[in-house]
């Protein structure tokens, strides 16, 4: 079983990326095997939104609301992963961090309790990055910490120079990650999905 | 208690019957509250207490905090005449919240809503004769629940912004 932790600031497009990955893993035939992927949705509000979006597409979604699995609900995430592993045994668990959560902390919380393969991907909103980088700089920096893959998303909404600015400034926070560029609502290419799935 | 003089009807009347004022309290519960004289025309033989019935909020907003963010979770529903005209108004509701947050110098994390539309419902009724009767009724309604996560705005201000944006939206539907 693989675990993919998907982080990124609020509105960066995490749920759109998850839809693409889940669709690839379960297949698109007449009888897709939806139990092959379980999505754990963490939202800090009392009302869940993304779980309803993913659930409406038929994906198996486990909800963790009203707290953050990188800190206040740190103990519960490992328990939930363990339970899903025992009860469902999916091929892939995708953990969607809240938009203010820190993916590396989530990875640490899981690895404290479980011996599993865990990869972190972070999604960046190319359109809002410049606007957020000063007031939200600390959050953005910590969200990119120890991330394996960075998807610069919404590239269809900005020009080349803006993509270069986003890449250059993001690399000041994390230079070792692999960078990919996408518009998740229009679909992720095979190379990106392959990387995310460790193929 | 002297069981020989015990009157079950009296006991029920005093302890387990509801007050006629419609407050939903048992008479026995009244004893725990401040009392005052009956209102005119009340058929109940007990003194009434004073209590406030909390008005149910039409737009339920709850505020929480995480790290630097302020989180408002909200829920409401609105009766509408035509569902087809809803989208633009609901979009404007979210934009309204965003504009107000930015006007206060705040930063929008995201403002999201899930909207459900209903055109019909049914009334179910049980009269203790062993069956549930039902009648279809036309109910055109939108149900909205959502979350606004923002920065640099205090919780009270965010709650007020959402409540006022809801009032604006409601007025638009009532026009």
């Amino acid at each position: 079983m693989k675990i993919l932790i998907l982080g990124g600031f609020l509105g960066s497009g995490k749920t759109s990326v998850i839809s693409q990955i889940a669709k690839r893993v379960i297949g698109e035939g007449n009888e897709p095997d939806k139990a092959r992927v379980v999505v754990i949705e963490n939202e800090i509000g009392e009302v869940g939104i993304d779980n309803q979006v993913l659930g409406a597409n038929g994906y198996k979604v486990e909800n963790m609301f009203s707290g953050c699995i990188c800190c206040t609900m740190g103990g519960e995430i490992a328990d939930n992963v363990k339970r899903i592993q025992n009860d469902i045994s999916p091929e892939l668990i995708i953990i969607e961090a809240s938009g203010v959560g820190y993916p590396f902390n989530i990875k640490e919380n899981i690895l404290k309790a479980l011996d599993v393969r865990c990869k972190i991907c972070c999604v960046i909103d190319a359109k809002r990055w410049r606007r957020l980088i000063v007031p939200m700089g600390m959050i953005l920096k910590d969200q990119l910490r120890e991330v394996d893959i960075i998807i610069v998303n919404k590239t269809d909404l900005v020009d080349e120079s803006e993509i270069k600015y986003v890449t250059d400034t993001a690399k000041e926070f994390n230079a070792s990650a692999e960078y990919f560029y996408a518009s998740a609502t229009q679909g992720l290419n095979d190379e990106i999905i392959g990387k995310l799935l460790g193929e | 208690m002297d069981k020989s003089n015990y009157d079950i009807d009296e006991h029920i009347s005093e302890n387990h019957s509801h007050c006629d004022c419609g407050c939903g309290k048992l008479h026995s519960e009244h004893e725990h509250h401040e009392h005052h004289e009956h209102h005119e025309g009340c058929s109940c033989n007990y003194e009434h207490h004073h209590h406030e019935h909390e008005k149910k909020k039409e737009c339920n907003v709850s505020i929480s905090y995480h790290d630097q963010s302020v989180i408002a979770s909200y829920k409401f529903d609105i009766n509408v005449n035509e569902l087809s005209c809803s989208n633009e108004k609901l979009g404007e509701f979210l934009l309204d919240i965003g504009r107000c947050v930015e006007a206060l110098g705040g930063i929008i994390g995201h403002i999201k809503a899930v909207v459900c539309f209903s055109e019909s419902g049914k009334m179910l009724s049980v009269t203790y004769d062993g069956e549930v009767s039902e009648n279809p009724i036309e109910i055109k309604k939108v149900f909205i629940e959502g979350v606004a996560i923002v920065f640099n705005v205090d919780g009270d201000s965010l709650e007020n912004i959402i409540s006022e944006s809801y009032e604006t939206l409601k007025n638009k539907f009532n026009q």
Side-chain angles (χ1 to χ4, degrees):
Chain A
M1 187 183 77
K2 297 178 204 166
I3 295 176
L4 175 65
I5 300 167
L6 209 75
F9 193 69
L10 300 154
S12 57
K14 297 182 291 296
T15 308
S16 299
V17 170
I18 287 174
S19 289
Q20 303 277 324
I21 304 165
K23 194 192 288 181
R24 167 67 73 89
V25 175
I26 65 174
E28 292 185 90
N30 291 331
E31 292 183 9
D33 185 0
K34 289 183 172 164
R36 292 174 71 185
V37 179
V38 174
V39 180
I40 298 178
E41 271 296 328
N42 179 215
E43 301 201 34
I44 51 173
E46 291 173 12
V47 172
I49 303 289
D50 295 338
N51 66 312
Q52 298 193 49
V53 174
L54 292 167
N57 287 326
Y59 302 127
K60 186 150 187 53
V61 182
E62 297 274 333
N63 301 318
M64 295 182 74
F65 293 166
S66 300
C68 185
I69 56 174
C70 77
C71 48
T72 54
M73 297 168 83
E76 292 168 51
I77 182 64
D79 291 341
N80 271 348
V81 169
K82 213 180 291 180
R83 182 180 51 76
I84 291 165
Q85 190 176 26
N86 292 335
D87 294 352
I88 304 170
S89 190
E91 194 176 306
L92 174 68
I93 294 178
I94 305 173
I95 300 171
E96 182 173 356
S98 79
V100 290
Y102 302 118
F104 180 67
N105 294 4
I106 297 170
K107 182 178 179 177
E108 282 194 319
N109 287 333
I110 293 169
L111 295 184
K112 270 181 216 165
L114 290 163
D115 180 22
V116 286
R117 290 164 63 196
C118 217
K119 188 176 271 192
I120 306 177
C121 170
C122 203
V123 184
I124 287 177
D125 178 351
K127 188 168 168 49
R128 283 213 301 166
W129 179 261
R130 186 186 288 268
R131 197 171 172 191
L132 294 172
I133 191 113
V134 173
M136 298 287 109
M138 286 307 292
I139 292 179
L140 297 176
K141 181 182 177 185
D142 287 342
Q143 286 187 334
L144 294 184
R145 182 181 164 210
E146 303 288 333
V147 164
D148 304 299
I149 296 166
I150 292 172
I151 298 175
V152 179
N153 192 24
K154 306 187 187 183
T155 51
D156 54 322
L157 303 178
V158 294
D159 59 24
E160 285 297 322
S161 65
E162 193 64 13
I163 293 171
K164 183 176 183 316
Y165 171 79
V166 173
T167 307
D168 290 346
T169 47
K171 281 188 173 173
E172 289 175 19
F173 298 153
N174 185 331
S176 61
E178 285 189 90
Y179 281 72
F180 295 92
Y181 301 88
S183 171
T185 53
Q186 293 173 16
L188 297 177
N189 65 35
D190 288 347
E191 185 190 10
I192 298 175
I193 293 181
K195 275 285 174 195
L196 292 170
L197 296 176
E199 291 170 350
Chain B
M1 182 185 293
D2 180 359
K3 294 282 183 184
S4 61
N5 295 325
Y6 183 65
D7 184 327
I8 186 67
D9 291 334
E10 191 179 323
H11 171 80
I12 289 171
S13 172
E14 286 182 3
N15 296 288
H16 300 293
S17 62
H18 284 85
C19 176
D20 293 338
C21 76
C23 68
K25 297 277 183 187
L26 295 173
H27 280 302
S28 57
E29 291 177 301
H30 280 211
E31 293 170 8
H32 303 296
H33 297 269
E34 185 184 339
H35 285 71
H36 66 84
E37 292 302 312
H38 265 190
H39 55 77
E40 194 175 348
C42 179
S43 60
C44 171
N45 290 324
Y46 289 82
E47 287 183 329
H48 277 195
H49 65 278
H50 175 75
H51 65 269
E52 296 289 335
H53 287 271
E54 190 178 337
K55 190 182 174 189
K56 191 184 174 196
K57 283 187 177 175
E58 291 178 332
C59 179
N60 192 339
V61 185
S62 74
I63 299 290
S64 57
Y65 301 86
H66 180 77
D67 212 348
Q68 301 168 47
S69 60
V70 182
I71 305 132
S73 306
Y74 60 89
K75 286 183 184 180
F76 60 86
D77 57 68
I78 296 181
N79 289 313
V80 297
N81 294 322
E82 288 298 327
L83 292 175
S84 58
C85 67
S86 299
N87 285 343
E88 189 183 334
K89 290 171 182 166
L90 293 168
E92 194 59 31
F93 164 71
L94 298 185
L95 288 171
D96 237 10
I97 297 170
R99 278 192 288 262
C100 293
V101 166
E102 291 192 332
L104 289 178
I107 296 165
I108 300 167
H110 69 213
I111 303 166
K112 288 186 174 181
V114 168
V115 184
C116 295
F117 300 92
S118 151
E119 284 195 278
S120 62
K122 61 172 71 169
M123 189 276 286
L124 300 177
S125 171
V126 170
T127 51
Y128 301 103
D129 62 356
E131 68 176 9
V132 179
S133 64
E134 61 178 67
N135 289 302
I137 48 175
E138 188 179 90
I139 304 174
K140 286 182 178 166
K141 215 168 197 178
V142 289
F143 300 86
I144 294 122
E145 61 177 7
V147 177
I149 305 180
V150 305
F151 302 82
N152 294 348
V153 171
D154 67 81
D156 287 344
S157 299
L158 182 58
E159 184 173 354
N160 288 337
I161 286 169
I162 292 174
S163 297
E164 284 167 18
S165 296
Y166 160 75
E167 289 298 330
T168 305
L169 175 68
K170 195 174 71 171
N171 291 336
K172 281 180 186 168
F173 274 116
N174 290 336
Q175 277 169 3

